[in-house]
Amino acid sequence: MHAINKYSLFNVSKKLCGCFKYASHFVYHPEQISNKFGKTNKKNMYQAINEAMDLVLSKDSNSVVFGEDVGFGGVFRCTSGLRDRYGKDRVFNTPLCEQGIIGFGIGLAVAGTTAIAEIQFADYMFPAFDQLVNEAAKYRYRSGNLFDCGKLTVRTPCSAVGHGALYHSQSPESFYAHSPGLKIVIPRGAHKAKGLLLSCIRDPNPCIFFEPKMMYRLAVDDVPDDDYEFPLGKADVLIKGRDITLIGWGTQVHVLLEVAEIANKDFGISCEVIDLVTILPWDKQTVANSVKKTGRVIVSHEAPLTGGFGAEIAASIQEECFLYLESPIRRVTGYDTPFPHVFEQFYLPNKWKCLQAVKELVNY
């Protein structure tokens, strides 16, 4: 029997972990932009988000940024350098208390302050659920439009990251989509993130801005240096197609873009790819127009199947497009389990699962 060097095994293990730790389940598709917004520079998503907040803080003297560790730059560095530039009275840390962070933000917004709150992980926003859905979402309605907290924006990292397991990988957007009065936005990359965050901050309604954390450094775009915004509630048709519609948001958009490329190259299937962009309110008209054209549709998201926002989209398509459908509506999603650690790659709705669904629906 050969002796086994435990240190050699440890080193091999470290190398293997290094190979997979940063591996993503998708290929990022950089944004193709025009020069309509002026000069651009290469920036990743966390830099674009930082730049958006920097612009707001510089232009609006009544704006503040707060949350756990934001004074130090935050765990993902999105607020890096802001306290140095604007002072600890405008960029400051809070206690580790999510319901306190959101309640404080609501109070600031009602008093007229532009409040940009950070919840360190979307998984930990549930203690603030009551503040968001019973206070922030209803403030305008309950006061007969006398008062509102529309100046509140809540930023939070979400979705898979490669090693986050059950408490740092969830996609909880559908929980908050059931709350009229909120707006819910998920960007697909750096260019969209900056413009959408600026739109959220300036929108007259409280917004939750979910940031797919895997793209903080992976998503690199030509991002305009100047101030710009994107409309909320408007989906983007990224690829036009004729055979099947693929709908996603956040990270999953890039999975679907790759699926569309493979389906066209290997099987001659023309896919139309839609980034929903805004979960609430969502762009029903763009989706309906696409499905009426293609007759087939897949909705894909990382969140579990049951109660995921894909179910709402599927129900609306069934109501609006039933006579145009050539096959059943298909959802390709995460499983109805807690988000796993070592089995993350099996859990995620990757390109192969989505491609299989495309082939099955086209051949239905």
Side-chain angles (χ1 to χ4, degrees), residues 77-97:
R77 315 309 299 158
C78 290
T79 56
S80 182
L82 296 181
R83 186 173 66 174
D84 294 338
R85 286 194 286 276
Y86 299 102
K88 62 182 180 181
D89 292 334
R90 296 185 62 199
V91 181
F92 50 88
N93 297 328
T94 64
L96 202 162
C97 178

mmCIF file of all heavy atoms in Angstrom, residues 77-97:
data_model
loop_
_atom_site.group_PDB
_atom_site.id
_atom_site.type_symbol
_atom_site.label_atom_id
_atom_site.label_comp_id
_atom_site.label_asym_id
_atom_site.label_seq_id
_atom_site.Cartn_x
_atom_site.Cartn_y
_atom_site.Cartn_z
ATOM 1 N N ARG A 77 -18.174 46.109 -2.302
ATOM 2 C CA ARG A 77 -17.461 47.345 -2.667
ATOM 3 C C ARG A 77 -18.314 48.330 -3.443
ATOM 4 O O ARG A 77 -17.787 49.268 -4.049
ATOM 5 C CB ARG A 77 -16.161 47.046 -3.448
ATOM 6 C CG ARG A 77 -15.297 45.931 -2.898
ATOM 7 C CD ARG A 77 -15.004 46.081 -1.415
ATOM 8 N NE ARG A 77 -14.267 47.311 -1.109
ATOM 9 C CZ ARG A 77 -14.260 47.875 0.097
ATOM 10 N NH1 ARG A 77 -14.940 47.366 1.085
ATOM 11 N NH2 ARG A 77 -13.571 48.981 0.295
ATOM 12 N N CYS A 78 -19.633 48.174 -3.440
ATOM 13 C CA CYS A 78 -20.497 49.060 -4.231
ATOM 14 C C CYS A 78 -20.512 50.495 -3.719
ATOM 15 O O CYS A 78 -20.797 51.420 -4.477
ATOM 16 C CB CYS A 78 -21.922 48.512 -4.260
ATOM 17 S SG CYS A 78 -22.108 47.006 -5.229
ATOM 18 N N THR A 79 -20.216 50.701 -2.428
ATOM 19 C CA THR A 79 -20.208 52.057 -1.878
ATOM 20 C C THR A 79 -18.795 52.546 -1.599
ATOM 21 O O THR A 79 -18.591 53.529 -0.884
ATOM 22 C CB THR A 79 -21.046 52.113 -0.587
ATOM 23 O OG1 THR A 79 -20.533 51.143 0.350
ATOM 24 C CG2 THR A 79 -22.506 51.810 -0.867
ATOM 25 N N SER A 80 -17.827 51.874 -2.182
ATOM 26 C CA SER A 80 -16.426 52.211 -1.945
ATOM 27 C C SER A 80 -16.131 53.678 -2.285
ATOM 28 O O SER A 80 -16.479 54.168 -3.366
ATOM 29 C CB SER A 80 -15.529 51.295 -2.787
ATOM 30 O OG SER A 80 -14.166 51.560 -2.540
ATOM 31 N N GLY A 81 -15.523 54.381 -1.354
ATOM 32 C CA GLY A 81 -15.087 55.764 -1.572
ATOM 33 C C GLY A 81 -16.148 56.822 -1.352
ATOM 34 O O GLY A 81 -15.828 58.017 -1.300
ATOM 35 N N LEU A 82 -17.399 56.433 -1.197
ATOM 36 C CA LEU A 82 -18.473 57.427 -1.093
ATOM 37 C C LEU A 82 -18.425 58.179 0.232
ATOM 38 O O LEU A 82 -18.667 59.389 0.273
ATOM 39 C CB LEU A 82 -19.837 56.761 -1.276
ATOM 40 C CG LEU A 82 -20.098 56.131 -2.654
ATOM 41 C CD1 LEU A 82 -21.490 55.533 -2.709
ATOM 42 C CD2 LEU A 82 -19.905 57.158 -3.770
ATOM 43 N N ARG A 83 -18.117 57.487 1.335
ATOM 44 C CA ARG A 83 -18.042 58.183 2.628
ATOM 45 C C ARG A 83 -16.900 59.188 2.639
ATOM 46 O O ARG A 83 -17.022 60.284 3.208
ATOM 47 C CB ARG A 83 -17.880 57.188 3.771
ATOM 48 C CG ARG A 83 -17.946 57.874 5.148
ATOM 49 C CD ARG A 83 -17.968 56.888 6.288
ATOM 50 N NE ARG A 83 -16.728 56.121 6.399
ATOM 51 C CZ ARG A 83 -16.471 55.281 7.388
ATOM 52 N NH1 ARG A 83 -17.389 55.074 8.336
ATOM 53 N NH2 ARG A 83 -15.329 54.610 7.424
ATOM 54 N N ASP A 84 -15.792 58.835 1.993
ATOM 55 C CA ASP A 84 -14.657 59.760 1.936
ATOM 56 C C ASP A 84 -15.025 61.034 1.186
ATOM 57 O O ASP A 84 -14.566 62.126 1.529
ATOM 58 C CB ASP A 84 -13.458 59.096 1.258
ATOM 59 C CG ASP A 84 -12.892 57.939 2.069
ATOM 60 O OD1 ASP A 84 -13.140 57.913 3.293
ATOM 61 O OD2 ASP A 84 -12.232 57.066 1.486
ATOM 62 N N ARG A 85 -15.858 60.889 0.134
ATOM 63 C CA ARG A 85 -16.218 62.045 -0.687
ATOM 64 C C ARG A 85 -17.343 62.875 -0.077
ATOM 65 O O ARG A 85 -17.361 64.104 -0.234
ATOM 66 C CB ARG A 85 -16.617 61.587 -2.095
ATOM 67 C CG ARG A 85 -15.434 61.166 -2.947
ATOM 68 C CD ARG A 85 -15.801 61.038 -4.413
ATOM 69 N NE ARG A 85 -16.586 59.852 -4.685
ATOM 70 C CZ ARG A 85 -16.080 58.645 -4.901
ATOM 71 N NH1 ARG A 85 -14.762 58.477 -4.827
ATOM 72 N NH2 ARG A 85 -16.854 57.616 -5.182
ATOM 73 N N TYR A 86 -18.286 62.231 0.606
ATOM 74 C CA TYR A 86 -19.487 62.957 1.028
ATOM 75 C C TYR A 86 -19.677 63.011 2.540
ATOM 76 O O TYR A 86 -20.618 63.644 3.019
ATOM 77 C CB TYR A 86 -20.728 62.341 0.359
ATOM 78 C CG TYR A 86 -20.644 62.432 -1.140
ATOM 79 C CD1 TYR A 86 -20.284 61.323 -1.901
ATOM 80 C CD2 TYR A 86 -20.862 63.638 -1.797
ATOM 81 C CE1 TYR A 86 -20.168 61.400 -3.278
ATOM 82 C CE2 TYR A 86 -20.742 63.733 -3.176
ATOM 83 C CZ TYR A 86 -20.397 62.612 -3.909
ATOM 84 O OH TYR A 86 -20.273 62.706 -5.262
ATOM 85 N N GLY A 87 -18.813 62.358 3.277
ATOM 86 C CA GLY A 87 -18.853 62.473 4.720
ATOM 87 C C GLY A 87 -19.716 61.428 5.400
ATOM 88 O O GLY A 87 -20.620 60.854 4.809
ATOM 89 N N LYS A 88 -19.423 61.231 6.688
ATOM 90 C CA LYS A 88 -20.106 60.173 7.437
ATOM 91 C C LYS A 88 -21.537 60.530 7.802
ATOM 92 O O LYS A 88 -22.277 59.679 8.289
ATOM 93 C CB LYS A 88 -19.309 59.848 8.689
ATOM 94 C CG LYS A 88 -19.161 60.998 9.673
ATOM 95 C CD LYS A 88 -18.308 60.578 10.858
ATOM 96 C CE LYS A 88 -18.158 61.725 11.860
ATOM 97 N NZ LYS A 88 -17.322 61.342 13.005
ATOM 98 N N ASP A 89 -21.953 61.780 7.574
ATOM 99 C CA ASP A 89 -23.345 62.145 7.812
ATOM 100 C C ASP A 89 -24.248 61.759 6.647
ATOM 101 O O ASP A 89 -25.471 61.725 6.803
ATOM 102 C CB ASP A 89 -23.478 63.657 8.053
ATOM 103 C CG ASP A 89 -22.849 64.094 9.363
ATOM 104 O OD1 ASP A 89 -22.770 63.246 10.278
ATOM 105 O OD2 ASP A 89 -22.428 65.257 9.462
ATOM 106 N N ARG A 90 -23.656 61.484 5.496
ATOM 107 C CA ARG A 90 -24.461 61.154 4.307
ATOM 108 C C ARG A 90 -24.237 59.727 3.827
ATOM 109 O O ARG A 90 -25.060 59.198 3.077
ATOM 110 C CB ARG A 90 -24.150 62.145 3.168
ATOM 111 C CG ARG A 90 -24.550 63.580 3.508
ATOM 112 C CD ARG A 90 -24.354 64.491 2.331
ATOM 113 N NE ARG A 90 -25.207 64.086 1.225
ATOM 114 C CZ ARG A 90 -24.991 64.451 -0.043
ATOM 115 N NH1 ARG A 90 -23.924 65.184 -0.351
ATOM 116 N NH2 ARG A 90 -25.805 64.061 -0.981
ATOM 117 N N VAL A 91 -23.144 59.101 4.225
ATOM 118 C CA VAL A 91 -22.871 57.694 3.897
ATOM 119 C C VAL A 91 -22.437 57.029 5.201
ATOM 120 O O VAL A 91 -21.341 57.280 5.697
ATOM 121 C CB VAL A 91 -21.770 57.559 2.828
ATOM 122 C CG1 VAL A 91 -21.535 56.097 2.484
ATOM 123 C CG2 VAL A 91 -22.138 58.349 1.569
ATOM 124 N N PHE A 92 -23.308 56.190 5.754
ATOM 125 C CA PHE A 92 -23.034 55.722 7.114
ATOM 126 C C PHE A 92 -23.528 54.302 7.352
ATOM 127 O O PHE A 92 -24.450 53.811 6.697
ATOM 128 C CB PHE A 92 -23.655 56.674 8.140
ATOM 129 C CG PHE A 92 -25.101 57.009 7.903
ATOM 130 C CD1 PHE A 92 -26.116 56.222 8.423
ATOM 131 C CD2 PHE A 92 -25.449 58.133 7.149
ATOM 132 C CE1 PHE A 92 -27.450 56.536 8.216
ATOM 133 C CE2 PHE A 92 -26.788 58.449 6.925
ATOM 134 C CZ PHE A 92 -27.786 57.644 7.464
ATOM 135 N N ASN A 93 -22.880 53.659 8.311
ATOM 136 C CA ASN A 93 -23.239 52.299 8.706
ATOM 137 C C ASN A 93 -24.465 52.302 9.606
ATOM 138 O O ASN A 93 -24.741 53.285 10.305
ATOM 139 C CB ASN A 93 -22.084 51.636 9.449
ATOM 140 C CG ASN A 93 -20.854 51.478 8.588
ATOM 141 O OD1 ASN A 93 -20.964 51.299 7.379
ATOM 142 N ND2 ASN A 93 -19.682 51.535 9.203
ATOM 143 N N THR A 94 -25.158 51.176 9.594
ATOM 144 C CA THR A 94 -26.312 50.991 10.470
ATOM 145 C C THR A 94 -26.072 49.764 11.354
ATOM 146 O O THR A 94 -25.193 48.944 11.062
ATOM 147 C CB THR A 94 -27.586 50.739 9.650
ATOM 148 O OG1 THR A 94 -27.435 49.507 8.936
ATOM 149 C CG2 THR A 94 -27.853 51.877 8.672
ATOM 150 N N PRO A 95 -26.869 49.599 12.399
ATOM 151 C CA PRO A 95 -26.827 48.334 13.140
ATOM 152 C C PRO A 95 -27.272 47.175 12.242
ATOM 153 O O PRO A 95 -27.918 47.377 11.205
ATOM 154 C CB PRO A 95 -27.830 48.561 14.274
ATOM 155 C CG PRO A 95 -27.955 50.042 14.399
ATOM 156 C CD PRO A 95 -27.770 50.573 13.020
ATOM 157 N N LEU A 96 -26.949 45.969 12.660
ATOM 158 C CA LEU A 96 -27.347 44.778 11.926
ATOM 159 C C LEU A 96 -28.814 44.483 12.263
ATOM 160 O O LEU A 96 -29.133 43.648 13.103
ATOM 161 C CB LEU A 96 -26.445 43.603 12.312
ATOM 162 C CG LEU A 96 -26.336 42.430 11.331
ATOM 163 C CD1 LEU A 96 -25.106 41.612 11.644
ATOM 164 C CD2 LEU A 96 -27.577 41.553 11.392
ATOM 165 N N CYS A 97 -29.703 45.200 11.589
ATOM 166 C CA CYS A 97 -31.139 45.110 11.884
ATOM 167 C C CYS A 97 -31.894 45.536 10.636
ATOM 168 O O CYS A 97 -32.108 46.735 10.411
ATOM 169 C CB CYS A 97 -31.488 46.001 13.069
ATOM 170 S SG CYS A 97 -33.242 46.012 13.501
#
